[in-house]
Amino acid sequence: MDYMDWVKESNGKFGTSDEDWDFLNQAAVIRFDYDAKGNVSGMYRGKYVYRDGYHELDINPGEIWVVSLSLNPKTNNNYFAKPLMRIDGSFLYELKKDQIDSLAKHLWEDNKVILEPALEEKYKDVVNEQIAKAVKEQTEAVIQEKKALEDKIQELQRINKEDKEIIESKEEEINLLSAKVLVMKNEPDMVAPKPAPQALPEPVGEFTEQVKPPKNIIIRAGPDMLRSESFKKSRYFVHMSADHKSLLIRDDKNGNVVCMDNTILLAGLNTILPFTEECVLPSEYSSRYGGTIVALK
Amino acid sequence: MSIISFDENDRVMMFIDLRNMTKSVSKDSKYSRIDFVSLVRCLKGPRKLVAAYVFDSKGAIDATDTSKRFHDYLRYKGFRVIARDSYDMEQNTQKEVDVAMAVQMVVHAFKDNYDVAIVVSGDRDFIPAIQEVQSAGKRVEVAAFKTSVADEMERQSDVFHNLDSEPILSLMNPAEITETIDTVQEAI
Protein backbone atom coordinates (compact mmCIF):
# COMPACT_ATOMS: atom_id res chain seq x y z
CA MET A 1 0.00 0.00 0.00
CA ASP A 2 1.45 3.33 -0.97
CA TYR A 3 1.05 6.58 0.82
CA MET A 4 -1.95 7.92 -1.15
CA ASP A 5 -3.91 4.68 -0.73
CA TRP A 6 -3.29 4.87 2.92
CA VAL A 7 -4.58 8.48 3.02
CA LYS A 8 -7.77 7.54 1.20
CA GLU A 9 -8.42 4.65 3.56
CA SER A 10 -7.96 6.97 6.45
CA ASN A 11 -10.68 9.39 5.30
CA GLY A 12 -13.05 8.42 8.04
CA LYS A 13 -10.44 8.57 10.70
CA PHE A 14 -9.35 12.05 9.74
CA GLY A 15 -12.88 13.36 9.21
CA THR A 16 -12.26 14.34 5.59
CA SER A 17 -14.57 14.04 2.60
CA ASP A 18 -14.24 13.92 -1.17
CA GLU A 19 -14.29 17.69 -1.32
CA ASP A 20 -11.18 17.73 0.68
CA TRP A 21 -9.37 15.61 -1.92
CA ASP A 22 -7.29 18.43 -3.30
CA PHE A 23 -6.48 19.40 0.21
CA LEU A 24 -5.42 15.88 1.02
CA ASN A 25 -3.59 15.56 -2.22
CA GLN A 26 -1.10 18.08 -0.93
CA ALA A 27 -0.47 16.06 2.22
CA ALA A 28 2.99 14.94 3.19
CA VAL A 29 4.83 13.47 6.15
CA ILE A 30 7.27 16.03 7.48
CA ARG A 31 9.68 16.00 10.38
CA PHE A 32 9.89 19.33 12.12
CA ASP A 33 12.86 20.70 13.97
CA TYR A 34 14.70 23.93 14.65
CA ASP A 35 16.44 25.44 11.62
CA ALA A 36 19.49 27.71 11.65
CA LYS A 37 17.38 30.75 12.50
CA GLY A 38 15.64 29.04 15.42
CA ASN A 39 12.32 28.57 13.62
CA VAL A 40 10.41 25.28 13.73
CA SER A 41 10.46 23.98 10.17
CA GLY A 42 10.79 20.92 7.96
CA MET A 43 11.85 20.24 4.36
CA TYR A 44 9.73 19.12 1.41
CA ARG A 45 11.22 18.73 -2.07
CA GLY A 46 13.99 21.18 -1.31
CA LYS A 47 11.81 23.87 0.16
CA TYR A 48 11.22 24.88 3.76
CA VAL A 49 7.92 24.00 5.38
CA TYR A 50 6.72 26.27 8.16
CA ARG A 51 3.86 25.82 10.56
CA ASP A 52 0.56 27.46 9.65
CA GLY A 53 0.27 29.98 12.42
CA TYR A 54 -3.53 29.99 12.37
CA HIS A 55 -4.14 26.32 12.92
CA GLU A 56 -5.42 25.06 16.23
CA LEU A 57 -2.96 22.14 16.46
CA ASP A 58 0.55 23.05 17.46
CA ILE A 59 3.60 21.44 15.90
CA ASN A 60 6.60 21.10 18.21
CA PRO A 61 10.21 20.58 17.27
CA GLY A 62 11.23 16.92 17.01
CA GLU A 63 7.75 15.73 15.97
CA ILE A 64 6.68 14.07 12.75
CA TRP A 65 3.33 15.09 11.31
CA VAL A 66 1.08 14.31 8.41
CA VAL A 67 0.44 17.78 7.16
CA SER A 68 -1.40 19.52 4.33
CA LEU A 69 0.93 21.76 2.40
CA SER A 70 0.17 24.99 0.67
CA LEU A 71 2.76 26.90 -1.32
CA ASN A 72 3.50 30.45 -0.14
CA PRO A 73 1.79 32.57 -2.81
CA LYS A 74 4.10 35.50 -2.21
CA THR A 75 7.45 33.89 -2.63
CA ASN A 76 6.77 30.38 -4.00
CA ASN A 77 9.87 29.37 -2.04
CA ASN A 78 8.35 27.71 0.97
CA TYR A 79 5.27 25.83 2.17
CA PHE A 80 2.85 26.31 5.01
CA ALA A 81 1.76 23.21 6.81
CA LYS A 82 -1.62 22.48 8.35
CA PRO A 83 -1.20 19.59 10.79
CA LEU A 84 -3.45 16.59 10.20
CA MET A 85 -2.12 13.84 12.41
CA ARG A 86 0.96 13.40 14.53
CA ILE A 87 3.06 10.29 13.88
CA ASP A 88 3.96 8.90 17.29
CA GLY A 89 3.94 5.73 19.34
CA SER A 90 0.16 5.42 19.46
CA PHE A 91 0.01 5.78 15.71
CA LEU A 92 2.45 2.93 15.30
CA TYR A 93 0.50 0.70 17.69
CA GLU A 94 -2.66 1.13 15.68
CA LEU A 95 -1.10 0.09 12.40
CA LYS A 96 -2.17 -3.17 10.80
CA LYS A 97 0.23 -5.96 10.00
CA ASP A 98 0.49 -5.17 6.30
CA GLN A 99 0.89 -1.52 7.11
CA ILE A 100 3.76 -2.28 9.47
CA ASP A 101 5.39 -4.42 6.80
CA SER A 102 4.96 -1.73 4.21
CA LEU A 103 6.32 0.88 6.55
CA ALA A 104 9.26 -1.26 7.49
CA LYS A 105 9.94 -1.91 3.83
CA HIS A 106 9.96 1.79 2.99
CA LEU A 107 12.05 2.59 6.02
CA TRP A 108 14.56 -0.07 5.07
CA GLU A 109 14.77 1.02 1.43
CA ASP A 110 15.13 4.68 2.29
CA ASN A 111 17.64 4.16 5.08
CA LYS A 112 19.45 1.06 3.98
CA VAL A 113 22.79 2.83 3.87
CA ILE A 114 22.48 3.82 7.52
CA LEU A 115 20.68 0.80 8.89
CA GLU A 116 22.69 -1.91 7.27
CA PRO A 117 26.10 -1.09 8.89
CA ALA A 118 24.41 -0.52 12.23
CA LEU A 119 22.59 -3.83 12.10
CA GLU A 120 25.62 -5.60 10.79
CA GLU A 121 27.71 -4.32 13.69
CA LYS A 122 24.96 -5.15 16.14
CA TYR A 123 24.40 -8.67 14.97
CA LYS A 124 27.94 -9.52 14.02
CA ASP A 125 28.73 -10.85 17.47
CA VAL A 126 25.47 -12.72 17.61
CA VAL A 127 26.09 -14.32 14.24
CA ASN A 128 29.67 -15.11 15.14
CA GLU A 129 28.52 -16.67 18.34
CA GLN A 130 25.98 -18.76 16.51
CA ILE A 131 28.58 -19.78 13.96
CA ALA A 132 31.05 -20.70 16.71
CA LYS A 133 28.38 -22.71 18.46
CA ALA A 134 27.46 -24.54 15.28
CA VAL A 135 31.15 -25.19 14.49
CA LYS A 136 31.76 -26.42 18.01
CA GLU A 137 28.86 -28.83 17.78
CA GLN A 138 30.05 -30.13 14.45
CA THR A 139 33.65 -30.42 15.73
CA GLU A 140 32.53 -32.35 18.77
CA ALA A 141 30.54 -34.66 16.58
CA VAL A 142 33.60 -35.24 14.36
CA ILE A 143 35.83 -35.81 17.41
CA GLN A 144 33.36 -38.31 18.81
CA GLU A 145 33.26 -40.10 15.49
CA LYS A 146 37.08 -40.08 15.27
CA LYS A 147 37.41 -41.46 18.79
CA ALA A 148 34.95 -44.22 17.98
CA LEU A 149 36.95 -45.10 14.86
CA GLU A 150 40.23 -45.08 16.78
CA ASP A 151 38.77 -47.38 19.39
CA LYS A 152 37.61 -49.66 16.63
CA ILE A 153 41.10 -49.63 15.02
CA GLN A 154 42.73 -50.45 18.34
CA GLU A 155 40.34 -53.29 18.87
CA LEU A 156 41.04 -54.63 15.37
CA GLN A 157 44.79 -54.31 15.90
CA ARG A 158 44.55 -56.19 19.17
CA ILE A 159 42.56 -58.95 17.50
CA ASN A 160 45.06 -59.00 14.63
CA LYS A 161 47.99 -59.32 17.05
CA GLU A 162 46.29 -62.13 18.91
CA ASP A 163 45.58 -63.91 15.64
CA LYS A 164 49.22 -63.55 14.57
CA GLU A 165 50.43 -64.98 17.85
CA ILE A 166 48.05 -67.89 17.49
CA ILE A 167 49.25 -68.48 13.92
CA GLU A 168 52.90 -68.34 14.98
CA SER A 169 52.36 -70.78 17.83
CA LYS A 170 50.44 -73.12 15.55
CA GLU A 171 53.16 -72.93 12.90
CA GLU A 172 55.77 -73.75 15.50
CA GLU A 173 53.65 -76.61 16.71
CA ILE A 174 53.27 -77.87 13.14
CA ASN A 175 57.03 -77.71 12.59
CA LEU A 176 57.75 -79.65 15.73
CA LEU A 177 55.06 -82.21 14.95
CA SER A 178 56.42 -82.55 11.41
CA ALA A 179 59.83 -83.30 12.85
CA LYS A 180 58.21 -85.82 15.17
CA VAL A 181 56.40 -87.52 12.29
CA LEU A 182 59.66 -87.72 10.40
CA VAL A 183 61.28 -89.52 13.29
CA MET A 184 58.41 -91.97 13.66
CA LYS A 185 58.38 -92.73 9.94
CA ASN A 186 61.98 -93.72 10.07
CA GLU A 187 61.48 -95.81 13.18
CA PRO A 188 58.18 -97.65 12.66
CA ASP A 189 58.73 -99.89 15.67
CA MET A 190 58.10 -97.04 17.99
CA VAL A 191 54.51 -97.32 19.09
CA ALA A 192 54.25 -95.53 22.36
CA PRO A 193 53.37 -91.89 21.94
CA LYS A 194 56.04 -89.59 23.17
CA PRO A 195 55.76 -86.04 24.32
CA ALA A 196 56.26 -83.36 21.73
CA PRO A 197 59.71 -81.82 21.83
CA GLN A 198 59.90 -78.66 23.79
CA ALA A 199 60.44 -75.37 22.06
CA LEU A 200 64.04 -74.74 21.17
CA PRO A 201 65.90 -72.83 23.86
CA GLU A 202 67.63 -69.65 22.87
CA PRO A 203 71.16 -70.25 21.57
CA VAL A 204 74.04 -69.46 23.87
CA GLY A 205 75.79 -66.17 23.27
CA GLU A 206 78.93 -67.46 21.61
CA PHE A 207 76.89 -69.00 18.84
CA THR A 208 74.91 -65.93 17.91
CA GLU A 209 76.54 -64.67 14.76
CA GLN A 210 75.83 -61.80 12.43
CA VAL A 211 74.56 -64.03 9.62
CA LYS A 212 71.71 -66.31 10.56
CA PRO A 213 70.40 -68.73 7.95
CA PRO A 214 67.15 -70.48 8.84
CA LYS A 215 67.48 -72.71 11.89
CA ASN A 216 68.06 -76.38 11.14
CA ILE A 217 66.03 -78.86 13.08
CA ILE A 218 68.41 -81.60 14.14
CA ILE A 219 66.89 -84.63 15.80
CA ARG A 220 68.62 -87.08 18.05
CA ALA A 221 66.98 -90.07 16.43
CA GLY A 222 68.93 -92.87 18.02
CA PRO A 223 71.85 -93.64 20.32
CA ASP A 224 74.43 -92.72 17.70
CA MET A 225 72.13 -91.17 15.18
CA LEU A 226 71.41 -87.60 14.15
CA ARG A 227 68.81 -86.79 11.56
CA SER A 228 67.92 -83.55 9.85
CA GLU A 229 66.30 -82.41 6.65
CA SER A 230 69.31 -80.16 6.25
CA PHE A 231 71.66 -83.14 5.93
CA LYS A 232 71.60 -83.20 2.16
CA LYS A 233 75.28 -83.66 1.37
CA SER A 234 77.01 -87.01 1.30
CA ARG A 235 79.99 -86.19 3.53
CA TYR A 236 80.44 -84.03 6.58
CA PHE A 237 83.02 -83.09 9.11
CA VAL A 238 81.70 -83.48 12.64
CA HIS A 239 83.66 -82.00 15.51
CA MET A 240 82.89 -81.98 19.18
CA SER A 241 84.18 -79.73 21.92
CA ALA A 242 86.23 -81.35 24.66
CA ASP A 243 83.65 -80.37 27.25
CA HIS A 244 81.07 -82.33 25.23
CA LYS A 245 78.71 -79.37 25.18
CA SER A 246 78.64 -78.65 21.49
CA LEU A 247 78.96 -80.29 18.14
CA LEU A 248 80.02 -78.65 14.88
CA ILE A 249 78.64 -80.15 11.68
CA ARG A 250 79.82 -78.77 8.36
CA ASP A 251 79.56 -80.31 4.95
CA ASP A 252 82.77 -81.02 3.08
CA LYS A 253 83.43 -83.30 0.14
CA ASN A 254 86.43 -84.68 2.04
CA GLY A 255 84.52 -85.08 5.28
CA ASN A 256 85.09 -88.27 7.24
CA VAL A 257 81.45 -88.74 8.22
CA VAL A 258 79.15 -90.25 5.62
CA CYS A 259 75.53 -89.10 5.49
CA MET A 260 72.76 -91.30 4.12
CA ASP A 261 69.02 -90.59 4.05
CA ASN A 262 69.50 -87.35 5.97
CA THR A 263 71.05 -89.37 8.74
CA ILE A 264 74.47 -89.24 10.30
CA LEU A 265 75.84 -92.02 12.48
CA LEU A 266 78.48 -91.01 15.00
CA ALA A 267 80.47 -93.56 16.92
CA GLY A 268 80.53 -92.98 20.63
CA LEU A 269 77.78 -90.37 20.66
CA ASN A 270 75.78 -92.50 23.07
CA THR A 271 78.76 -92.67 25.39
CA ILE A 272 79.21 -88.94 25.35
CA LEU A 273 75.52 -88.11 25.57
CA PRO A 274 73.39 -91.10 26.64
CA PHE A 275 70.28 -91.58 24.57
CA THR A 276 66.93 -91.58 26.37
CA GLU A 277 64.41 -90.62 23.74
CA GLU A 278 64.44 -88.87 20.44
CA CYS A 279 64.44 -85.14 20.81
CA VAL A 280 65.24 -82.00 18.92
CA LEU A 281 68.71 -80.67 19.66
CA PRO A 282 69.12 -76.90 19.75
CA SER A 283 71.18 -75.84 16.79
CA GLU A 284 72.25 -72.73 14.99
CA TYR A 285 74.38 -71.84 12.01
CA SER A 286 77.73 -70.31 12.95
CA SER A 287 79.54 -68.16 10.44
CA ARG A 288 82.65 -68.28 12.61
CA TYR A 289 82.94 -72.05 12.21
CA GLY A 290 81.23 -72.25 8.83
CA GLY A 291 78.78 -74.92 9.96
CA THR A 292 75.92 -75.79 12.24
CA ILE A 293 76.60 -75.74 15.95
CA VAL A 294 74.49 -78.22 17.91
CA ALA A 295 74.13 -77.87 21.65
CA LEU A 296 74.46 -81.27 23.28
CA LYS A 297 73.85 -80.22 26.88
CA MET B 1 87.17 -59.89 28.36
CA SER B 2 90.61 -59.20 26.99
CA ILE B 3 91.65 -55.70 26.02
CA ILE B 4 93.47 -57.21 23.06
CA SER B 5 91.59 -56.83 19.80
CA PHE B 6 92.02 -59.03 16.78
CA ASP B 7 93.36 -57.50 13.61
CA GLU B 8 92.80 -59.38 10.40
CA ASN B 9 96.14 -58.15 9.11
CA ASP B 10 98.06 -59.80 11.95
CA ARG B 11 100.53 -62.47 10.87
CA VAL B 12 99.98 -65.51 13.01
CA MET B 13 102.46 -68.28 13.66
CA MET B 14 101.36 -71.34 15.58
CA PHE B 15 103.52 -73.56 17.78
CA ILE B 16 101.90 -76.84 18.74
CA ASP B 17 103.25 -79.12 21.41
CA LEU B 18 101.75 -82.28 19.99
CA ARG B 19 102.25 -84.62 22.89
CA ASN B 20 100.93 -82.16 25.46
CA MET B 21 97.75 -81.84 23.43
CA THR B 22 97.11 -85.51 22.77
CA LYS B 23 97.65 -86.42 26.41
CA SER B 24 94.95 -83.98 27.43
CA VAL B 25 92.25 -85.77 25.44
CA SER B 26 93.48 -89.31 25.73
CA LYS B 27 90.41 -90.41 27.61
CA ASP B 28 88.24 -89.61 24.56
CA SER B 29 90.62 -91.05 22.03
CA LYS B 30 88.54 -94.13 21.44
CA TYR B 31 85.85 -92.17 19.68
CA SER B 32 87.43 -88.87 18.85
CA ARG B 33 90.75 -87.35 18.04
CA ILE B 34 92.06 -83.85 17.81
CA ASP B 35 91.63 -82.46 14.34
CA PHE B 36 94.66 -80.18 14.07
CA VAL B 37 93.37 -78.57 10.90
CA SER B 38 90.20 -77.53 12.73
CA LEU B 39 92.30 -76.47 15.69
CA VAL B 40 94.30 -74.11 13.50
CA ARG B 41 91.15 -72.80 11.81
CA CYS B 42 89.52 -72.07 15.16
CA LEU B 43 92.53 -70.34 16.66
CA LYS B 44 93.69 -68.21 13.76
CA GLY B 45 90.22 -66.95 12.88
CA PRO B 46 90.28 -64.49 9.98
CA ARG B 47 93.96 -63.66 10.49
CA LYS B 48 96.81 -64.61 8.16
CA LEU B 49 98.57 -67.83 9.06
CA VAL B 50 102.29 -67.62 8.35
CA ALA B 51 103.14 -71.11 9.54
CA ALA B 52 101.97 -73.81 11.91
CA TYR B 53 104.73 -75.73 13.61
CA VAL B 54 104.16 -79.11 15.23
CA PHE B 55 106.78 -80.32 17.66
CA ASP B 56 107.07 -84.00 18.52
CA SER B 57 109.63 -86.72 18.99
CA LYS B 58 110.19 -89.68 16.75
CA GLY B 59 109.40 -93.18 17.84
CA ALA B 60 106.40 -92.74 20.10
CA ILE B 61 105.61 -95.06 22.97
CA ASP B 62 106.39 -98.46 21.57
CA ALA B 63 108.99 -97.33 19.12
CA THR B 64 106.97 -98.48 16.15
CA ASP B 65 106.81 -96.32 13.10
CA THR B 66 103.15 -95.25 13.45
CA SER B 67 104.09 -91.75 14.54
CA LYS B 68 105.89 -91.17 11.26
CA ARG B 69 102.68 -91.79 9.33
CA PHE B 70 100.89 -89.22 11.39
CA HIS B 71 103.72 -86.73 10.96
CA ASP B 72 103.51 -87.25 7.22
CA TYR B 73 99.76 -86.72 7.38
CA LEU B 74 100.32 -83.40 9.12
CA ARG B 75 103.00 -82.36 6.64
CA TYR B 76 100.58 -83.20 3.84
CA LYS B 77 98.08 -80.85 5.44
CA GLY B 78 100.65 -78.03 5.50
CA PHE B 79 102.08 -78.24 8.97
CA ARG B 80 105.79 -77.85 9.57
CA VAL B 81 106.56 -80.90 11.68
CA ILE B 82 109.75 -80.83 13.74
CA ALA B 83 110.24 -84.30 15.13
CA ARG B 84 113.26 -84.69 17.39
CA ASP B 85 115.00 -88.01 17.48
CA SER B 86 115.18 -87.98 21.23
CA TYR B 87 112.50 -90.16 22.74
CA ASP B 88 113.55 -91.64 26.11
CA MET B 89 112.33 -95.21 25.93
CA GLU B 90 113.08 -96.00 29.52
CA GLN B 91 111.35 -93.02 31.09
CA ASN B 92 108.71 -92.82 28.37
CA THR B 93 109.38 -89.11 27.92
CA GLN B 94 110.48 -86.91 25.10
CA LYS B 95 113.52 -84.70 25.21
CA GLU B 96 114.62 -81.58 23.38
CA VAL B 97 111.13 -80.89 22.11
CA ASP B 98 110.28 -78.01 24.44
CA VAL B 99 113.57 -76.30 23.84
CA ALA B 100 113.23 -76.73 20.09
CA MET B 101 109.84 -75.11 20.18
CA ALA B 102 111.00 -72.25 22.42
CA VAL B 103 113.94 -71.57 20.12
CA GLN B 104 111.70 -71.43 17.06
CA MET B 105 109.34 -69.01 18.81
CA VAL B 106 112.13 -66.65 19.80
CA VAL B 107 114.03 -66.85 16.53
CA HIS B 108 110.97 -66.09 14.42
CA ALA B 109 110.05 -63.27 16.78
CA PHE B 110 113.44 -61.58 16.43
CA LYS B 111 113.33 -62.08 12.69
CA ASP B 112 109.95 -60.36 12.72
CA ASN B 113 108.35 -63.26 10.91
CA TYR B 114 105.05 -62.92 12.75
CA ASP B 115 102.95 -60.53 14.80
CA VAL B 116 101.15 -63.07 16.95
CA ALA B 117 102.49 -66.34 18.30
CA ILE B 118 99.92 -68.91 19.35
CA VAL B 119 101.38 -71.45 21.74
CA VAL B 120 99.27 -74.58 21.83
CA SER B 121 100.42 -76.08 25.07
CA GLY B 122 99.74 -75.74 28.76
CA ASP B 123 103.32 -76.52 29.79
CA ARG B 124 104.79 -73.73 31.92
CA ASP B 125 108.28 -74.53 30.63
CA PHE B 126 107.47 -72.14 27.80
CA ILE B 127 107.00 -69.12 30.04
CA PRO B 128 110.56 -67.76 29.65
CA ALA B 129 110.31 -68.05 25.88
CA ILE B 130 106.90 -66.34 25.93
CA GLN B 131 108.34 -63.47 27.95
CA GLU B 132 111.19 -63.02 25.48
CA VAL B 133 108.80 -63.01 22.55
CA GLN B 134 106.61 -60.45 24.28
CA SER B 135 109.63 -58.28 25.01
CA ALA B 136 110.34 -58.32 21.27
CA GLY B 137 107.00 -56.56 20.78
CA LYS B 138 105.04 -59.60 19.76
CA ARG B 139 101.73 -60.79 21.10
CA VAL B 140 101.52 -64.30 22.52
CA GLU B 141 98.30 -66.25 22.76
CA VAL B 142 98.12 -69.53 24.64
CA ALA B 143 95.67 -72.28 23.76
CA ALA B 144 95.20 -75.25 26.00
CA PHE B 145 92.66 -77.39 27.74
CA LYS B 146 91.67 -75.90 31.04
CA THR B 147 92.58 -79.02 32.95
CA SER B 148 96.12 -79.15 31.64
CA VAL B 149 97.26 -75.54 31.68
CA ALA B 150 99.38 -73.98 34.37
CA ASP B 151 97.84 -70.90 35.96
CA GLU B 152 101.02 -68.92 35.43
CA MET B 153 100.95 -69.85 31.75
CA GLU B 154 97.40 -68.52 31.45
CA ARG B 155 98.34 -65.32 33.24
CA GLN B 156 101.44 -64.77 31.13
CA SER B 157 99.58 -64.96 27.84
CA ASP B 158 98.05 -61.92 26.20
CA VAL B 159 95.03 -63.98 25.19
CA PHE B 160 94.06 -67.39 26.48
CA HIS B 161 92.01 -69.78 24.34
CA ASN B 162 90.16 -72.42 26.30
CA LEU B 163 90.16 -75.42 23.99
CA ASP B 164 87.52 -77.18 26.05
CA SER B 165 84.81 -75.19 24.34
CA GLU B 166 86.23 -75.30 20.82
CA PRO B 167 84.86 -78.00 18.49
CA ILE B 168 88.17 -79.58 17.57
CA LEU B 169 87.60 -83.26 18.36
CA SER B 170 86.78 -85.07 15.18
CA LEU B 171 84.06 -87.72 15.27
CA MET B 172 83.64 -90.49 12.76
CA ASN B 173 81.17 -93.08 11.53
CA PRO B 174 81.29 -96.34 13.46
CA ALA B 175 82.47 -98.24 10.39
CA GLU B 176 85.26 -95.83 9.77
CA ILE B 177 86.42 -96.10 13.32
CA THR B 178 86.91 -99.85 13.06
CA GLU B 179 88.95 -99.36 9.95
CA THR B 180 91.14 -96.60 11.15
CA ILE B 181 91.36 -97.12 14.86
CA ASP B 182 94.49 -99.21 14.49
CA THR B 183 96.21 -96.76 12.24
CA VAL B 184 95.90 -93.05 12.58
CA GLN B 185 94.20 -93.08 15.93
CA GLU B 186 96.88 -95.14 17.58
CA ALA B 187 99.54 -93.05 15.99
CA ILE B 188 98.21 -90.04 17.84
Side-chain angles (χ1 to χ4, degrees):
Chain A
M1 179 187 284
D2 66 10
Y3 170 70
M4 294 312 296
D5 293 337
W6 175 74
V7 172
K8 285 178 183 176
E9 278 189 14
S10 304
N11 275 352
K13 180 177 179 179
F14 300 134
T16 55
S17 63
D18 290 342
E19 288 79 24
D20 297 323
W21 181 246
D22 292 338
F23 171 76
L24 287 173
N25 205 23
Q26 297 174 39
V29 177
I30 306 292
R31 177 184 177 85
F32 290 90
D33 219 329
Y34 289 111
D35 60 12
K37 295 178 180 177
N39 297 319
V40 176
S41 66
M43 293 294 288
Y44 181 73
R45 293 179 180 173
K47 294 179 179 178
Y48 280 102
V49 179
Y50 297 107
R51 295 176 293 184
D52 188 341
Y54 302 105
H55 200 275
E56 57 185 357
L57 293 174
D58 192 18
I59 296 175
N60 295 314
E63 293 179 346
I64 299 169
W65 281 83
V66 179
V67 295
S68 172
L69 300 174
S70 57
L71 194 61
N72 186 349
K74 293 180 181 175
T75 63
N76 284 338
N77 278 338
N78 64 289
Y79 291 98
F80 292 111
K82 291 180 182 175
L84 298 176
M85 188 181 73
R86 192 173 67 186
I87 306 298
D88 56 9
S90 61
F91 167 78
L92 292 174
Y93 284 126
E94 290 170 1
L95 288 176
K96 296 177 181 172
K97 175 72 171 62
D98 54 346
Q99 290 172 335
I100 291 170
D101 292 341
S102 178
L103 186 60
K105 183 183 174 187
H106 283 290
L107 281 171
W108 175 253
E109 287 173 356
D110 292 345
N111 302 287
K112 190 175 181 182
V113 179
I114 302 166
L115 292 174
E116 200 170 43
L119 289 172
E120 185 180 333
E121 190 64 30
K122 185 174 180 181
Y123 288 103
K124 195 154 90 177
D125 293 340
V126 176
V127 171
N128 285 341
E129 193 177 330
Q130 287 179 343
I131 290 171
K133 189 179 176 184
V135 168
K136 190 180 175 185
E137 286 175 356
Q138 287 184 353
T139 306
E140 283 177 353
V142 170
I143 288 170
Q144 291 289 333
E145 192 176 355
K146 185 186 169 194
K147 191 171 182 301
L149 288 172
E150 284 176 347
D151 291 344
K152 195 172 181 182
I153 288 170
Q154 281 185 349
E155 177 67 14
L156 289 172
Q157 284 176 338
R158 187 185 62 77
I159 293 170
N160 188 31
K161 190 180 174 186
E162 287 177 358
D163 289 346
K164 277 184 180 176
E165 287 174 355
I166 291 169
I167 289 168
E168 283 175 3
S169 66
K170 291 294 179 191
E171 282 178 349
E172 193 175 351
E173 195 175 331
I174 287 168
N175 287 337
L176 292 172
L177 287 173
S178 300
K180 188 81 175 174
V181 167
L182 189 65
V183 172
M184 295 185 76
K185 273 183 183 174
N186 287 303
E187 295 194 9
D189 294 340
M190 289 191 306
V191 178
K194 291 171 181 174
Q198 296 298 310
L200 299 180
E202 286 299 314
V204 290
E206 65 182 296
F207 300 135
T208 42
E209 302 289 342
Q210 57 273 41
V211 180
K212 285 187 176 178
K215 284 184 179 177
N216 299 326
I217 295 176
I218 295 177
I219 300 158
R220 178 79 182 276
D224 294 333
M225 187 188 296
L226 295 178
R227 180 176 289 123
S228 172
E229 287 295 312
S230 63
F231 294 161
K232 292 174 182 172
K233 300 291 176 68
S234 58
R235 299 189 81 87
Y236 287 84
F237 273 123
V238 181
H239 292 92
M240 183 181 61
S241 63
D243 58 9
H244 299 168
K245 286 183 179 174
S246 60
L247 209 61
L248 169 64
I249 302 172
R250 59 185 171 90
D251 63 275
D252 193 300
K253 64 181 180 182
N254 297 318
N256 56 356
V257 174
V258 177
C259 174
M260 293 176 69
D261 300 329
N262 306 115
T263 303
I264 286 175
L265 288 173
L266 296 172
L269 184 61
N270 193 39
T271 308
I272 297 160
L273 182 66
F275 178 77
T276 53
E277 61 176 0
E278 69 269 22
C279 59
V280 176
L281 297 174
S283 63
E284 188 179 57
Y285 180 81
S286 167
S287 59
R288 180 188 168 199
Y289 296 114
T292 303
I293 288 284
V294 183
L296 294 179
K297 294 177 181 174
Chain B
M1 187 180 204
S2 174
I3 60 169
I4 305 293
S5 60
F6 287 95
D7 187 342
E8 291 188 8
N9 295 318
D10 280 345
R11 296 168 301 157
V12 174
M13 196 173 280
M14 212 165 285
F15 302 92
I16 301 170
D17 183 356
L18 186 65
R19 204 146 302 261
N20 181 276
M21 293 299 296
T22 52
K23 278 180 182 174
S24 303
V25 292
S26 60
K27 64 180 182 297
D28 294 323
S29 60
K30 187 178 179 185
Y31 300 111
S32 63
R33 58 184 171 88
I34 295 177
D35 185 340
F36 286 91
V37 176
S38 289
L39 173 70
V40 171
R41 282 167 57 118
C42 289
L43 294 178
K44 85 172 184 66
R47 298 174 290 185
K48 296 174 184 173
L49 182 68
V50 177
Y53 282 92
V54 174
F55 295 88
D56 196 11
S57 58
K58 292 178 182 174
I61 306 175
D62 56 356
T64 61
D65 203 23
T66 51
S67 63
K68 186 175 184 304
R69 292 180 60 186
F70 184 62
H71 293 161
D72 289 342
Y73 165 79
L74 291 175
R75 288 189 183 98
Y76 176 74
K77 289 291 182 183
F79 289 89
R80 294 179 184 174
V81 179
I82 296 180
R84 307 296 301 180
D85 192 9
S86 58
Y87 195 77
D88 187 336
M89 305 286 282
E90 293 178 359
Q91 296 183 15
N92 196 24
T93 56
Q94 59 182 9
K95 301 292 184 184
E96 303 175 11
V97 174
D98 293 353
V99 176
M101 183 167 147
V103 168
Q104 288 295 324
M105 284 168 57
V106 174
V107 167
H108 281 299
F110 283 106
K111 286 182 177 178
D112 192 27
N113 287 339
Y114 61 79
D115 299 313
V116 179
I118 300 180
V119 179
V120 185
S121 175
D123 192 344
R124 62 176 300 159
D125 289 349
F126 294 112
I127 288 175
I130 289 172
Q131 289 171 336
E132 283 303 315
V133 170
Q134 286 172 328
S135 68
K138 307 299 181 186
R139 199 161 74 232
V140 179
E141 299 176 7
V142 170
F145 294 102
K146 198 76 178 174
T147 52
S148 61
V149 65
D151 291 344
E152 184 59 28
M153 186 77 167
E154 190 176 340
R155 277 196 292 271
Q156 188 62 48
S157 65
D158 295 310
V159 175
F160 176 73
H161 299 279
N162 182 6
L163 292 181
D164 290 300
S165 59
E166 295 291 344
I168 57 170
L169 301 181
S170 179
L171 299 181
M172 288 173 279
N173 292 132
E176 267 195 70
I177 277 195
T178 55
E179 290 173 7
T180 59
I181 196 166
D182 295 329
T183 54
V184 178
Q185 189 72 26
E186 282 185 0
I188 299 170

